[in-house]
Amino acid sequence: MATDTGKRCIGFIGAGTLGSGLSLALHRKGYVVQAVSSRSRGSSEALAGSIAGCSAVESPQEVVDACDMVFITTPDSAISSVAASVRWRAGQEVTHCCGASGRELLESAADQGAETGAFHPFQTFAGIAGPDQAVDRLTGVTFAVSAGANLEDFLTALAKNLGGRAVTVEDGSRPLYHAAAILSCGYLVTLLQTALRTLEESGFTREEAQEAVLSISRSTLDNVETLGPAASVTGPLVRGDVITVGKHLEALQRSSPPVAALYGGLTELSLPIARQRGLGAEEESVIRDAVAKAGFHYPLGKR
């Protein structure tokens, strides 16, 4: 089946990792990418040189003048100022790729009659060496879409054409959505780094710790994919083993109070999953008391 490209002439303001990857991915799917601008002339010229018919232009205004639809793929902090710095046409479309914010960043364009939207990939772009790798990272991911009806239809189809899926995330919910992305990626790294350091405290070398953590983490992610979260949880919490939980808290408190606090908070957050696995009310109460006694009570309630 032929790709529905919407017959739009598309431009990009910003030629960083995401802008370069997304523009190249669109081009390869048959979309017309007409113009690109960037703070770095070298970046825009390199990108335009990889897309037939695309021009590297000097300014954001030239992109807006040349295109029906514009993606602003600058750093998030610059989106509003870039949008406010140019003249938009009524009915023109403009979309940013910020995760934590909605269409309010493009209010200046909307005031001039432009249709505005947000299109954010739930993906990490760390370790990307070039646009081709960024294209690969965009394949098969979830995109958070917020836009008016016509533009939303286009962005939803775009996500599908990229091999992914679109989920509508209203403007007011985007900070919550983006927090989930950080928990899934950036703070997952923090948690794994904490596990590495804790193993080193127990006597592992760095190499031994990394090998152990990566092995168990990969197995756990595989289990979550195939079995779901509840069936993937293991450890003393599921067994109702309050003695072991207490030992963990005591040892971590001696080694690193912040890690002990993290462990206590994660223990309480894990209790709803443990209940699904059969943890009884009495056992749960004892574990909550142990966490509170250690000084790490979080008023989470029963979820």
Side-chain angles (χ1 to χ4, degrees):
M1 181 182 296
T3 298
D4 179 8
T5 61
K7 298 182 179 179
R8 289 163 169 82
C9 178
I10 300 173
F12 280 79
I13 300 173
T17 299
L18 178 57
S20 296
L22 184 56
S23 59
L24 190 58
L26 264 62
H27 167 66
R28 291 177 179 176
K29 290 296 183 179
Y31 293 84
V32 178
V33 180
Q34 181 72 30
V36 59
S37 70
S38 176
R39 288 180 300 177
S40 166
R41 180 69 180 181
S43 296
S44 58
E45 288 180 345
L47 178 57
S50 65
I51 298 175
C54 183
S55 299
V57 297
E58 293 289 342
S59 69
Q61 186 65 61
E62 290 177 82
V63 175
V64 172
D65 290 344
C67 300
D68 306 310
M69 179 181 183
V70 176
F71 281 95
I72 299 180
T73 49
T74 63
D76 294 350
S77 60
I79 292 172
S80 288
S81 60
V82 167
S85 71
V86 297
R87 299 178 304 278
W88 301 92
R89 303 186 299 276
Q92 193 171 24
E93 296 168 331
V94 53
T95 300
H96 70 69
C97 294
C98 172
S101 300
R103 289 172 287 174
E104 69 274 6
L105 295 183
L106 304 174
E107 184 176 358
S108 58
D111 288 343
Q112 297 176 59
E115 301 291 331
T116 61
F119 185 74
H120 178 263
F122 200 86
Q123 178 61 287
T124 176
F125 291 90
I128 295 293
D132 285 323
Q133 289 187 0
V135 171
D136 292 340
R137 288 280 179 92
L138 286 167
T139 302
V141 305
T142 296
F143 293 86
V145 173
S146 173
N150 290 335
L151 183 53
E152 182 176 22
D153 288 345
F154 174 78
L155 294 174
T156 298
L158 172 58
K160 183 177 180 180
N161 288 338
L162 291 175
R165 67 204 63 82
V167 176
T168 299
V169 179
E170 299 299 335
D171 290 344
S173 296
R174 290 182 77 85
L176 192 63
Y177 150 82
H178 196 243
I182 300 305
L183 288 168
S184 302
C185 181
Y187 287 171
L188 175 60
V189 173
T190 302
L191 184 60
L192 296 179
Q193 173 72 349
T194 301
L196 288 170
R197 289 176 176 171
T198 303
L199 278 179
E200 290 179 85
E201 286 286 322
S202 76
F204 279 56
T205 66
R206 182 68 177 192
E207 181 179 348
E208 291 168 339
Q210 182 159 314
E211 182 177 344
V213 167
L214 289 177
S215 177
I216 195 173
S217 299
R218 289 190 179 109
S219 295
T220 301
L221 287 174
D222 288 343
N223 286 339
V224 171
E225 182 177 20
T226 58
L227 304 175
S232 302
V233 174
T234 61
L237 191 63
V238 175
R239 300 190 298 269
D241 184 357
V242 66
I243 294 176
T244 298
V245 172
K247 286 182 177 180
H248 291 171
L249 287 167
E250 291 171 6
L252 289 170
Q253 175 64 15
R254 292 192 299 270
S255 173
S256 174
V259 176
L262 173 65
Y263 185 97
L266 290 172
T267 297
E268 289 216 68
L269 282 171
S270 299
L271 285 170
I273 300 177
R275 287 200 300 271
Q276 294 180 46
R277 293 285 301 277
L279 182 70
E282 183 176 346
E283 295 167 316
E284 178 182 349
S285 178
V286 173
I287 290 173
R288 285 186 181 275
D289 289 344
V291 173
K293 184 178 180 180
F296 309 118
H297 178 63
Y298 292 75
L300 301 173
K302 294 184 178 181
R303 297 188 177 183

